[in-house]
Amino acid sequence: MADPFTIVGLVATIIQLVDFGTKLILRLREASERIGEVPAGFADISIRLPLLIDCLNRIKDDAGGLSETTRTALSPVIGSCLDQVKRLDDILVKVTPRLEDSDWRIGKKTIKGLGLEGKVQKIDATIKDNIQILTLYQSIKSPLVSSQWTAVLSAALPVASPIFMVPFERDSNFVGRGDILAQIDKRFADHSRAALAGIGGVGKSQVAIEYCYKFRQANPHTHIFWIYASTFARFSQAYEEIGSKLGLPNWDSTKENKIDLVTKQLNDGAWPWFMVIDNADDMTLFYSDNSMIDKEGSSLARQLPISSRGKILVTTRDSRVAERLTNRKAPIKVHPMTLVEATHLLCSKLPEDENFQTGVEELISELGFLPLAITQAAAFMTENFLTVTEYLMLLQTTEADFKDFISHGLEDPRRDVESESSIMRTWKLSFDHIEEQKPRAAEMLLFMAVIDRQRIPKILLRKNSEKEIEFVTALGTLQAFSLVNTQKGGEFVELHRLVQLSTQKWLELQDALDVWQRVAVIVLANRFPFASFQSREECETLLPHVQVALANAPDINSTKLYRARLLHAVAWYDMEVKGQWASGYTKARASLSLYEDILQEDDDEMIRSQNVLASAMSYLAKSAEAEVLLRHALDNSKNESTQVMIIRNLSVVLFVAGKLEDAAEYAIRAREADNKLHGPDHELTITDMFNLANIRNIQGNHEEAGRLYQKTLAFREKEFGPDHPDTLINVDALGSNMRSEGRFEEAEAMHRKALAARTKQLGPKHTDTLISMDNLSLVLANQGKLVESIELAQEALKGFEEELGPDHPHSLTAANGLGSRLCSAGDPTRGVLLLKRACEGREQVFGLLHKDTLDSIRDLAWQLDILKRFDEAEPLYRRLIPAQEEFYGPEHSKTLSSNSDFAYGLRNLEKFVEAENLERNVISIREKTMRIDNEGYRSNVYALGLDLAGQERLSEAEEKLSIVLEWYAQNWQEYSAAHGLLTIRQISIFAHLVDVLERQDKQSEVETLNERFPEVPGHGFALSDYGKN
């Protein structure tokens, strides 16, 4: 007698099926009555469903008398019917809103548009087959022919119960991947095939295993097969097992192609099935003309079953295989886990008391979020009683240790016995396929292993003469195997960290790592451009790869030339583009050292390397060394253009060193040579002109400098554009020239323009940007805009110190300027400290005889004068003036100004005789050089009058003061209009002359003065009340 529980289960299935079928019949009839016509597929089903329901009701009535054999044979047929009716119901739900439309043609279009018409026909065919089996059962169900029924039914459906051929237990700790499982469901809703593609070790097979178990829960009457498709032998073996389990007639003795027999059975059989084709990585196994299956008659891909009752899920590393096996549908990408998923996975594999240790997130990141790597790490920790922290320290000891880890495999019962269990061996399987199918792709991968793995520009991977199709297909192969990912609009690719380490480990095992590291240096040396405004983005892109290549380059003679070239180019990039002169100096020196090992002294590459190193030396206040190196290079050079380049640079080095006359001589030589070689309007000739302008500006010849700046700026704006770095340097320099001429508003506009453009182009911390900022601060101070000036000066100083260090010349210049501005703003304590720091720092860096050192001493001395700290200023002037006479010459404007300033201090210290001598010397030089029609000359005459008055030489003092007052009397209105109604200078001259007259009892002359200048207020000034002359 049949088991009552089994009978109840069968009856329940029949009742559910009858209920579904009845509802479908009613819905189809309603649609037919409303519109009079339905698509052919629906019409056929509406006829068959009543017959099916009738058969099922009869079986239900006889359920109590069914034998065990009959019940077992009928169950899958009825289950298949239920599956088909459910599918039909899903289709009707999709098109129901349009079936209710007044125009049935819309519904028909919807069915076709969604690709549902073919599916309806397949469902109808399956129901038709099942009805035939059930009808056959009804016709021979008598006990007399029960044996006939069993035989016939066995032929129609050879197996008695659903097969589950998944060779792995379900993972009770399976975590995450819900999005991928949902994508598989969605794909199977409309298609019979889907594929999972991703890098080896990412968890494709684990997702497939989990999906099989979920699918069995939802479809208990469905066969589930698992085929390991790494080789033809394994594929064939799986089909052998399927055929055996299906119980196909004469299976063991048949001479026919067994793969064909299984495929035919799955295509034509009534039982629904689901198949996983795992590790379908080898394209040639499925599509090559030389595959083993082809020798037996057809391609393996065409041997895969196609049935309305079946579904196939493919797992592969090669997305191209995935697309071809799924009728060109894009595969579902399986990416490394998210942080949350990876954390759950690791913790689920560790003992409960250790799964919330510190370092978990860091370890997961080290392992690249790959499930295989995480699982292997957990197994290693458990087996060796390590904590996460201990294991992480082990990995991070050296990169070699990490490579050993990814080469080490521990057996995983949830992976196929032939599936590699280490990251390294998993990578090797992919590499072997790639090397066999596309050697050029394997070559690309080996190259990428020895450069930075991120933001690899495609152009770097491409050979100069390579055809487009060859390059695209090679890179496509790597992308298909998920070994590289495309970034940023397809211009860059990225290599997974563990893929790179695995590749490096393989190269080590092949004794080929140093070979490819040498290749990397050569390729990058040929690709890295000499830095310019136009090439800066390309340099920035290649720089990370250059750094890796240089760090790992073999120290052998065959690489020295390329390493030297690469270091030379990167050194110039650091200096010219990034403003990182210290870094550039280090690379330039290393480059020259390599050149010296392999080249002769007169080799042009050697000399150009010396030139770049000299530029770095000069910027880093090593001007003496730079000059020696350049003169040595000039002596050895045999190339005319190289000689001119050295002369040009020597001019700059001498200028920085403060040797202005020599600098001007070399600038003129370079200009004449470039004019001869290239013409007057060539950029090199213009550069020479600009260098000469800088020299003339510092020499005090502001008019000539201004003309040169204007000409070079016009050329650069036209040829390079307004935002080119050379143009902006010119704008800033012209602004400084305008400031020197007292054209402060124009200068401010220039400096603001340069600062805005440089900030946008180079960033706020670039040294060129900071120079513009400091220049703007200076001209704002000249206009009395001290608040903004000090803010900018402080920002510039901070930036220079951060970028270059506190003792760099730029930092000291900024400190000097800020100190002066703070003193002017009423903060002498901080101001004098900064000025002293600048003095000491510049003298240490440059020595005493340098323009920057001399300027710092003069600024400090003058601020001490203003603070009436004359005794502190005096020793500074006594060092300053002889040094200026030696450096600039006794007739230079700066030397003369310092003499006058010192005389002022001496006068306030009542050292009138020495002050008189200084003033007479300055007046004599001005008269000698015809520089008497200016404010400076009149100030000296006025000061001399004060010195004489201080010695009680009143008549001589009266003479000098009267001369100056007469000049102001003749130009009174003009001077007042330019400097204010009455300036302190006008008032003080008048007051001093009145004082001298009164001390001589010349009261009538005093009254005459008062009558001549009634607008001057009463005198009564004391000598100590007067400011600077």
Side-chain angles (χ1 to χ4, degrees):
M1 183 174 177
D3 183 348
F5 291 103
T6 306
I7 295 172
V8 170
L10 181 64
V11 171
T13 303
I14 293 173
I15 292 172
Q16 185 181 8
L17 179 52
V18 170
D19 182 57
F20 258 105
T22 303
K23 290 179 180 178
L24 284 173
I25 291 170
L26 292 174
R27 290 168 67 183
L28 288 169
R29 286 178 180 174
E30 180 184 357
S32 179
E33 291 172 357
R34 289 180 56 198
I35 57 172
E37 179 187 8
V38 294
F42 283 103
D44 292 340
I45 285 177
S46 65
I47 295 171
R48 296 192 214 288
L49 281 177
L51 180 58
L52 175 62
I53 291 171
D54 181 62
C55 288
L56 292 171
N57 282 326
R58 292 182 187 183
I59 294 171
K60 182 184 68 173
D61 294 340
D62 295 338
L66 294 176
S67 68
E68 181 71 20
T69 301
T70 301
R71 191 190 71 255
T72 302
L74 285 174
S75 292
V77 180
I78 295 171
S80 174
C81 290
L82 181 58
D83 288 340
Q84 301 307 314
V85 171
K86 285 182 177 179
R87 291 184 184 181
L88 183 61
D89 184 62
D90 290 339
I91 291 173
L92 283 174
V93 168
K94 290 182 180 180
V95 301
T96 293
R98 288 178 173 79
L99 288 173
E100 293 173 354
D101 199 288
S102 59
D103 188 353
W104 174 247
R105 288 176 298 176
I106 298 176
K108 293 172 75 174
K109 289 180 181 179
T110 302
I111 293 170
K112 291 181 179 179
L114 294 176
L116 301 176
E117 194 167 27
K119 293 182 180 181
V120 172
Q121 292 173 352
K122 289 180 181 179
I123 291 171
D124 178 50
T126 302
I127 291 175
K128 179 182 177 182
D129 291 342
N130 289 334
I131 290 175
Q132 289 176 348
I133 294 172
L134 294 175
T135 303
L136 177 62
Y137 161 72
Q138 290 290 325
S139 67
I140 60 175
K141 69 178 181 177
S142 69
L144 295 176
V145 292
S146 60
S147 60
Q148 297 175 354
W149 153 249
T150 302
V152 172
L153 190 57
S154 295
L157 195 66
V159 68
S161 60
I163 300 168
F164 189 72
M165 264 180 60
V166 177
F168 309 103
E169 294 291 333
R170 188 173 191 178
D171 186 356
S172 59
N173 293 318
F174 184 86
V175 294
R177 303 304 202 182
D179 58 330
I180 298 175
L181 295 170
Q183 287 183 63
I184 298 172
D185 280 336
K186 184 177 180 181
R187 185 67 57 87
F188 280 143
D190 299 319
H191 304 90
S192 62
R193 293 186 182 184
L196 302 177
I199 190 174
V202 80
K204 303 179 295 295
S205 297
Q206 303 306 311
V207 172
I209 293 169
E210 177 65 16
Y211 191 81
C212 285
Y213 280 93
K214 285 182 173 293
F215 191 87
R216 183 172 68 166
Q217 288 176 333
N219 304 273
H221 302 293
T222 302
H223 292 315
I224 298 179
F225 307 118
W226 188 280
I227 298 177
Y228 191 77
S230 61
T231 65
F232 176 76
R234 289 297 303 274
F235 189 96
S236 180
Q237 180 184 6
Y239 261 62
E240 287 264 3
E241 186 178 357
I242 292 172
S244 177
K245 287 183 178 296
L246 286 174
L248 297 183
N250 304 314
W251 179 250
D252 293 330
S253 60
T254 183
K255 301 290 187 182
E256 294 185 55
N257 185 316
K258 291 187 175 182
I259 292 179
D260 285 344
L261 291 176
V262 171
T263 299
K264 185 176 186 304
Q265 176 60 38
L266 295 180
N267 285 343
D268 300 336
W271 205 307
W273 53 268
F274 175 77
M275 178 183 289
V276 172
I277 302 177
D278 190 30
N279 280 276
D281 304 326
D282 189 353
M283 179 76 78
T284 62
L285 182 64
F286 291 93
Y287 292 101
S288 172
D289 292 337
N290 296 319
S291 67
M292 292 182 68
I293 193 67
D294 283 340
K295 295 177 182 179
E296 300 184 20
S298 61
S299 96
L300 190 57
R302 290 198 293 270
Q303 293 297 97
L304 298 179
I306 302 174
S307 170
S308 62
R309 291 175 290 281
K311 299 181 187 298
I312 297 177
L313 177 64
V314 179
T315 76
T316 179
R317 305 171 192 208
D318 190 343
S319 59
R320 300 169 304 171
V321 174
E323 289 188 14
R324 294 187 68 173
L325 290 179
T326 57
N327 301 317
R328 294 298 177 184
K329 299 297 180 184
I332 298 167
K333 286 289 186 179
V334 182
H335 297 289
M337 286 181 152
T338 64
L339 176 60
V340 173
E341 290 174 335
T343 302
H344 286 170
L345 176 62
L346 178 61
C347 292
S348 72
K349 303 294 182 183
L350 293 175
E352 290 186 6
D353 58 340
E354 296 184 13
N355 61 9
F356 289 106
Q357 304 171 46
T358 58
V360 168
E361 184 173 336
E362 187 177 358
L363 175 59
I364 288 168
S365 179
E366 286 284 332
L367 299 175
F369 300 88
L370 278 183
L372 175 59
I374 294 168
T375 301
Q376 287 290 301
F380 189 92
M381 284 186 279
T382 302
E383 192 170 285
N384 293 281
F385 304 100
L386 295 175
T387 65
V388 170
T389 303
E390 290 169 339
Y391 183 72
L392 191 57
M393 290 175 62
L394 182 65
L395 285 186
Q396 294 177 336
T397 302
T398 65
E399 193 169 273
D401 290 333
F402 206 137
K403 291 175 184 176
D404 287 340
F405 158 70
I406 62 177
S407 304
H408 182 72
L410 293 173
E411 185 176 346
D412 185 350
R414 294 182 42 72
R415 292 176 66 82
D416 189 271
V417 291
E418 293 186 11
S419 179
E420 298 293 355
S421 57
S422 75
I423 297 295
M424 171 68 186
R425 295 184 185 120
T426 300
W427 165 87
K428 184 63 165 57
L429 289 176
S430 296
F431 182 76
D432 287 344
H433 285 308
I434 292 169
E435 190 173 35
E436 182 178 350
Q437 295 174 22
K438 202 73 178 176
R440 176 69 180 101
E443 187 181 271
M444 278 185 187
L445 183 61
L446 297 179
F447 177 73
M448 285 189 279
V450 293
I451 58 177
D452 193 278
R453 68 179 184 85
Q454 296 178 313
R455 284 182 60 80
I456 303 172
K458 289 182 179 179
I459 190 65
L460 183 59
L461 303 176
R462 188 166 187 167
K463 295 180 177 179
N464 291 333
S465 59
E466 191 166 23
K467 294 181 180 179
E468 180 73 14
I469 187 66
E470 177 69 15
F471 175 75
V472 170
T473 55
L475 186 58
T477 299
L478 297 178
Q479 292 172 315
F481 276 85
S482 300
L483 296 180
V484 300
N485 295 319
T486 303
Q487 298 177 311
K488 193 183 179 182
E491 296 176 13
F492 300 90
V493 296
E494 177 181 351
L495 199 63
H496 193 283
R497 181 172 183 243
L498 297 188
V499 172
Q500 187 180 56
L501 290 174
S502 296
T503 311
Q504 290 173 357
K505 181 66 177 179
W506 183 82
L507 284 171
E508 289 174 5
L509 295 173
Q510 303 299 310
D511 290 327
L513 183 60
D514 59 340
V515 173
W516 282 95
Q517 288 170 337
R518 179 177 178 273
V519 169
V521 172
I522 294 172
V523 169
L524 286 163
N526 292 329
R527 288 290 178 88
F528 198 90
F530 204 66
S532 66
F533 179 69
Q534 292 80 6
S535 67
R536 67 191 189 283
E537 289 187 8
E538 184 181 359
C539 291
E540 190 69 34
T541 296
L542 294 176
L543 189 62
H545 308 292
V546 169
Q547 291 169 337
V548 172
L550 286 173
N552 299 321
D555 188 16
I556 54 179
N557 286 334
S558 61
T559 67
K560 281 187 177 180
L561 179 61
Y562 298 101
R563 286 159 57 203
R565 288 173 178 171
L566 198 49
L567 284 164
H568 174 73
V570 176
W572 186 248
Y573 168 77
D574 282 353
M575 295 185 293
E576 183 70 8
V577 176
K578 299 180 73 176
Q580 296 177 353
W581 290 84
S583 173
Y585 169 79
T586 301
K587 292 183 178 71
R589 184 167 284 284
S591 172
L592 181 58
S593 178
L594 290 169
Y595 277 132
E596 287 172 342
D597 287 345
I598 55 177
L599 299 179
Q600 299 296 318
E601 277 194 335
D602 60 354
D603 189 279
D604 204 52
E605 278 195 78
M606 167 88 82
I607 291 170
R608 288 178 177 272
S609 178
Q610 292 170 335
N611 188 63
V612 168
L613 178 58
S615 295
M617 287 175 168
S618 176
Y619 196 90
L620 296 173
K622 301 176 186 290
S623 297
E625 295 176 59
E627 182 181 349
V628 170
L629 184 61
L630 286 175
R631 291 191 185 280
H632 177 75
L634 188 58
D635 290 340
N636 288 320
S637 178
K638 298 177 180 179
N639 182 294
E640 185 177 6
S641 62
T642 303
Q643 290 172 355
V644 178
M645 175 190 71
I646 297 170
I647 292 170
R648 184 184 310 112
N649 201 16
L650 190 54
S651 167
V652 175
V653 169
L654 291 168
F655 170 72
V656 172
K659 299 180 179 181
L660 301 181
E661 293 299 331
D662 290 343
E665 177 189 340
Y666 277 96
I668 293 170
R669 280 182 61 185
R671 181 181 177 184
E672 290 173 350
D674 279 323
N675 188 47
K676 178 181 176 182
L677 287 172
H678 309 294
D681 294 327
H682 191 274
E683 62 179 288
L684 292 177
T685 311
I686 296 299
T687 298
D688 300 328
M689 190 184 301
F690 178 77
N691 292 340
L692 181 60
N694 288 335
I695 297 166
R696 296 300 188 221
N697 200 47
I698 295 299
Q699 287 178 320
N701 193 343
H702 304 306
E703 185 177 349
E704 181 185 354
R707 288 197 303 271
L708 293 172
Y709 282 139
Q710 291 284 4
K711 187 172 182 178
T712 56
L713 180 60
F715 173 88
R716 287 171 168 173
E717 285 182 332
K718 178 182 177 182
E719 296 296 322
F720 304 151
D723 294 328
H724 190 280
D726 288 354
T727 306
L728 297 177
I729 289 174
N730 215 137
V731 169
D732 225 18
L734 181 57
S736 296
N737 173 258
M738 291 173 171
R739 184 183 64 80
S740 299
E741 294 185 314
R743 298 156 60 187
F744 299 133
E745 290 184 0
E746 295 175 78
E748 178 184 345
M750 286 291 182
H751 290 316
R752 286 193 186 279
K753 178 181 178 180
L755 177 59
R758 282 174 160 174
T759 300
K760 179 180 178 181
Q761 184 184 108
L762 304 173
K765 297 298 184 181
H766 193 281
T767 51
D768 286 354
T769 306
L770 297 172
I771 289 171
S772 290
M773 189 181 297
D774 203 40
N775 286 337
L776 177 58
S777 170
L778 183 58
V779 77
L780 290 172
N782 291 141
Q783 299 175 80
K785 301 175 182 179
L786 288 177
V787 174
E788 185 181 0
S789 173
I790 290 172
E791 288 177 354
L792 289 171
Q794 288 173 331
E795 187 176 349
L797 176 58
K798 180 181 177 182
F800 282 130
E801 289 176 337
E802 290 176 352
E803 294 296 314
L804 304 171
D807 297 325
H808 187 275
H810 283 327
S811 301
L812 297 173
T813 297
N816 192 83
L818 178 58
S820 295
R821 270 147 259 173
L822 288 172
C823 289
S824 300
D827 189 358
T829 301
R830 284 201 300 155
V832 168
L833 284 175
L834 284 170
L835 288 170
K836 286 182 176 179
R837 170 190 159 188
C839 278
E840 293 168 1
R842 282 175 159 178
E843 186 165 356
Q844 185 174 1
V845 171
F846 298 120
L848 177 63
L849 296 178
H850 188 279
K851 63 182 181 63
D852 289 351
T853 306
L854 298 176
D855 285 349
S856 279
I857 295 173
R858 180 169 177 261
D859 289 343
L860 175 59
W862 174 237
Q863 289 298 334
L864 291 171
D865 277 348
I866 293 176
L867 295 171
K868 301 187 184 304
R869 292 159 61 176
F870 303 112
D871 54 338
E872 294 179 57
E874 181 180 357
L876 293 175
Y877 282 119
R878 294 196 183 281
R879 290 189 71 219
L880 172 65
I881 291 172
Q884 285 182 319
E885 288 176 346
E886 181 179 352
F887 185 78
Y888 294 114
E891 298 179 359
H892 192 277
S893 59
K894 287 190 175 183
T895 307
L896 297 177
S897 180
S898 294
N899 275 278
S900 297
D901 292 342
F902 186 27
Y904 168 75
L906 291 171
R907 189 159 49 252
N908 280 279
L909 291 171
E910 298 187 357
K911 297 181 178 182
F912 297 114
V913 174
E914 188 175 2
E916 177 192 352
N917 291 335
L918 288 173
E919 293 292 2
R920 288 190 183 279
N921 182 55
V922 171
I923 290 170
S924 173
I925 291 173
R926 291 192 187 280
E927 290 174 343
K928 175 184 174 183
T929 58
M930 304 299 291
R931 286 180 285 180
I932 60 175
D933 188 22
N934 57 52
E935 185 69 13
Y937 176 76
R938 287 183 285 273
S939 294
N940 293 134
V941 175
Y942 170 40
L944 177 58
L946 298 181
D947 294 332
L948 294 169
Q951 299 176 59
E952 296 299 326
R953 293 160 62 183
L954 299 177
S955 61
E956 294 175 76
E958 178 185 349
E959 176 191 358
K960 300 301 180 186
L961 294 174
S962 296
I963 290 172
V964 178
L965 187 62
E966 283 302 319
W967 181 89
Y968 281 114
Q970 296 171 12
N971 302 276
W972 196 266
Q973 292 182 346
E974 177 184 342
Y975 190 82
S976 297
H979 301 280
L981 182 61
L982 288 173
T983 67
I984 188 67
R985 175 60 54 86
Q986 294 168 298
I987 296 171
S988 63
I989 293 171
F990 180 87
H992 271 114
L993 180 56
V994 169
D995 181 71
V996 168
L997 291 171
E998 287 181 342
R999 287 160 64 185
Q1000 298 179 77
D1001 296 324
K1002 295 184 176 181
Q1003 194 60 40
S1004 60
E1005 284 87 342
V1006 171
E1007 292 174 359
T1008 302
L1009 284 176
N1010 285 325
E1011 291 174 0
R1012 285 187 64 192
F1013 306 104
E1015 60 269 52
V1016 179
H1019 48 90
F1021 292 88
L1023 193 62
S1024 60
D1025 290 333
Y1026 303 135
K1028 183 184 177 186
N1029 300 316

